[in-house]
């Protein structure tokens, strides 16, 4: 199974929503975030979601509220596959 980030625009066009345990990342570049470039300050795990209004926690402990419909900059989305969600108790 391969897990990759989607651009925010691609994700929003699918008409789906993020759930607890999914990830969002704000990159400083328009191109795909390479592993060596990922900044833990800008990588967030979703802790609460109401449609595209999210509460999230960064890997450095920063709590943030994010509205994906109003987000500015280069945001990337990683939605966990359903089998993974079930294995870790998120479904």
């Amino acid at each position: 199974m391969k897990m990759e980030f989607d651009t925010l625009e691609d994700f929003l066009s699918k008409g789906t929503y993020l759930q607890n345990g999914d990830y969002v990342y704000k990159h400083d570049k328009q191109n795909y975030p390479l592993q060596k470039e990922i900044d833990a300050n800008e990588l967030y795990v979703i802790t609460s979601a109401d449609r595209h209004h999210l509460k999230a926690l960064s890997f450095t402990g920063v709590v943030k509220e994010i509205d994906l419909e109003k987000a500015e900059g280069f945001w990337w989305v990683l939605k966990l596959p359903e089998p993974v969600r079930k294995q870790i108790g998120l479904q």
Side-chain angles (χ1 to χ4, degrees):
M1 172 183 336
K2 189 173 183 182
M3 295 174 41
E4 292 185 357
F5 284 96
D6 286 330
T7 65
L8 178 58
E9 295 79 18
D10 287 345
F11 175 76
L12 291 174
S13 73
K14 294 177 184 176
T16 60
Y17 300 101
L18 294 175
Q19 298 170 285
N20 292 358
D22 292 331
Y23 296 86
V24 291
Y25 177 65
K26 185 176 183 186
H27 198 25
D28 61 349
K29 301 175 184 140
Q30 187 173 5
N31 56 323
Y32 191 84
L34 302 175
Q35 185 175 3
K36 65 182 179 181
E37 298 173 337
I38 291 182
D39 176 3
N41 291 314
E42 298 293 345
L43 179 61
Y44 299 90
V45 177
I46 306 307
T47 58
S48 174
D50 179 14
R51 300 179 56 87
H52 293 305
H53 304 277
L54 312 172
K55 287 186 183 174
L57 177 66
S58 79
F59 278 64
T60 58
V62 175
V63 176
K64 186 169 188 154
E65 292 193 24
I66 304 164
D67 182 343
L68 292 180
E69 294 175 334
K70 297 178 182 176
E72 295 181 3
F74 307 115
W75 284 90
W76 296 81
V77 176
L78 178 62
K79 186 156 179 62
L80 295 177
E82 290 306 314
V84 172
R85 297 185 68 73
K86 287 179 184 175
Q87 285 290 322
I88 61 175
L90 291 175
Q91 283 287 4

